[in-house]
Amino acid sequence: MIMKKIIYIIALITSVTFAGCSDFLQEDVRGQENLDTYFQTEEEAESFLTGCYSALTYGGWWQINKLWLLSEMCSDDCWMGNTAQDQGDYISVAHYQGNGQSNEAIANFWQYRYKGILRCNIAIERIPEASILDKEKQSRLVAEARFLRAFYYFELVKNFGDVPLVTGFVMPEEVEGITRSEASTIYKFIEDDLVAASEVLPQRSGYADTELGRATRGAALGLLGKVYLYQDKWQEARDAFKTVIDEGEYDLLADFGDVWSIDHNNSKESLFEVQFMYSETYALGGSLSVITGMRNSSDPGDGWAWCQPTSDLENAYIKAGDDERLKWTIIKTGCTEIAGEDNFDVFAENSKKMGSYDTYIKKYGWDENCCIVDPEKHKSARINRKFFVPYAKRPANYNTDKVPLNHRILRYADVLLMYAEACNELGDDVTARTSLNKVRSRVHLPNVTVSGNDLRKAIRTERRLELALENNRLYDIRRWNDDNGKKVICNLMGQNGSFVLYNTGSNADIYESENQGEPSNKGISFNETRDLLFPIPLYEITMSGGSITQNPGWN
């Protein structure tokens, strides 16, 4: 039945080597152990907790990363992008075709998030039994597991709504007939975990440098505020964010270009991020830089070309006069520089090796020393700059699962903008503007002076520009109400949606309209009674014998 696989696979596995920059993530493989005799020492407890952290991505590109990318593809910020390969893993959901319950990315995500939850459940139950003399540390290890469990459940509830609630290490017969708990129940469980974790976890400054990357009090409170925000609990969200701000552990980096720099992993702006290190021997490292890189035929082989920024996103930066964040977010074909890339000539020379180079130069009027993101292989002829690693900083074997760029999960700019949103909803526009303008001032944009609904719109625009491609956009447009009472996504997608009309109209971007390897009418089949949530994986419904039900409208 439901989660049999999870239990059988994980029950006796107590530690996993996985990608991490810090010492606490660099553990030896322990093999298999018997849980009845495990958790006897502090070392064993820490080793098991390492496996709870590894569940953030499971070290691979397909367990979790695919859905993170899929969420962007479902928004107005990204296309699927790759028009040179089969798009079957994505198109049913990204293009709102209504038949995604067998989608591989969704099925894997569900399964591996529950595997992570199971690991955390075991840690929370068994670490208190370990012979750890340092009781403060013992409590901290449990709090870390509670933070991670809360994060994994938040990932499930915001994608699927009602989901099964499993709170302990249970055997298969104990979960037979399990049903989906209401989203409100899941959210309450998440809140309780995060409140408890925030009361025990140290501040960021309380950890040694070798332990950066562990869950902190700031991370727990920041995530708690986000959980409240997603439920329109404005006062609770405001209070959580204000605590993070007032405690002074975090600040914005001076330069926006440093936020996603490989040289600024675990910066003062980061509340929580996935830790990655490079290891050729053990194939350790992140994947997203390669998955989203340009798919050109000659060296340097850059990537797979999935999840490409839309011209609609680029236009949002242009409309706002936001040149700074635009150059650090989007790399566009025909460019004569890439922000932060000191070896641009390598990419320009690579472009010249393309068989269609001269044709492109003549057709589009590009500079002869430009970098080409091949319009025939890339829907938008644009790629993600945030995950891009400069040529000189790439590991010797620049390949999937080998990139030491940490993945930012929650950062201070997000906290400031969520705080602004909560304050605006509560009528405190003075504080909302102050928080909003702090983010804007970093990229040299003028202060916002409006109030009320105009300020609400300004905050929403700022979230798009600041956090683009960071796995926030879909969830924002799903939760926000527009002036006409509909969710924002309902006014973007569908036959009369502004995003669909732009891409299928006469003013559509030339690269996107010419390359129909991915249809430009993405979103035309959007159904507002179905598409505010992803489908429950079909195999979960089948394995449960029908006790787990499907979300409305999916077939």
Side-chain angles (χ1 to χ4, degrees), residues 484-496:
N484 64 354
K486 291 181 177 291
K487 297 297 182 184
V488 169
I489 192 172
C490 299
N491 292 325
L492 291 170
M493 304 298 174
Q495 290 188 353
N496 296 311

Side-chain angles (χ1 to χ4, degrees), residues 179-402:
T179 59
R180 299 165 65 188
S181 295
E182 292 184 359
S184 59
T185 300
I186 303 297
Y187 273 117
K188 180 61 167 62
F189 185 78
I190 294 169
E191 292 167 11
D192 290 346
D193 262 355
L194 291 173
V195 168
S198 70
E199 293 171 350
V200 174
L201 290 172
Q203 296 280 18
R204 172 191 167 95
S205 58
Y207 281 114
D209 289 345
T210 55
E211 294 192 303
L212 285 180
R214 288 189 180 276
T216 64
R217 170 174 166 80
L221 288 172
L223 183 59
L224 177 63
K226 197 164 197 170
V227 168
Y228 286 140
L229 197 80
Y230 274 49
Q231 302 172 80
D232 295 345
K233 293 183 176 180
W234 306 117
Q235 186 63 54
E236 293 92 333
R238 181 186 185 280
D239 292 346
F241 296 135
K242 188 175 189 301
T243 301
V244 174
I245 294 168
D246 289 348
E247 290 182 350
E249 288 282 318
Y250 307 94
D251 201 357
L252 297 179
L253 290 167
D255 297 320
F256 183 76
D258 290 338
V259 172
W260 279 88
S261 168
I262 202 166
D263 294 327
H264 290 81
N265 289 334
N266 298 311
S267 74
K268 65 180 180 180
E269 186 163 340
S270 177
L271 278 74
F272 190 66
E273 57 191 55
V274 183
Q275 306 293 299
F276 289 121
M277 64 176 289
Y278 171 70
S279 171
E280 176 64 24
T281 302
Y282 295 105
L284 300 181
S287 307
L288 290 174
S289 299
V290 173
I291 297 172
T292 60
M294 67 183 79
R295 190 180 186 85
N296 289 350
S297 56
S298 303
D299 289 334
D302 212 39
W304 301 357
W306 291 112
C307 201
Q308 294 167 16
T310 62
S311 64
D312 188 83
L313 175 61
E314 180 185 7
N315 291 337
Y317 287 106
I318 295 171
K319 182 179 180 181
D322 190 354
D323 297 334
E324 184 69 12
R325 285 184 294 204
L326 172 57
K327 72 180 183 181
W328 290 105
T329 303
I330 297 175
I331 298 172
K332 185 176 180 179
T333 193
C335 63
T336 54
E337 64 178 350
I338 296 173
E341 178 53 78
D342 295 331
N343 294 280
F344 180 80
D345 58 307
V346 175
F347 294 91
E349 289 301 312
N350 176 43
S351 296
K352 293 177 182 179
K353 298 175 185 177
M354 296 173 57
S356 51
Y357 173 77
D358 290 334
T359 301
Y360 284 149
I361 293 295
K362 184 178 298 185
K363 178 178 181 179
Y364 298 114
W366 295 333
D367 188 287
E368 290 192 1
N369 291 306
C370 70
C371 172
I372 295 177
V373 182
D374 191 345
E376 292 185 1
K377 297 178 181 177
H378 304 77
K379 170 65 176 177
S380 71
R382 297 164 175 86
I383 64 165
N384 181 341
R385 173 59 185 88
K386 287 184 175 178
F387 299 165
F388 177 87
V389 177
Y391 187 71
K393 297 186 181 298
R394 297 181 177 187
N397 184 1
Y398 184 67
N399 206 335
T400 184
D401 299 346
K402 292 183 174 65

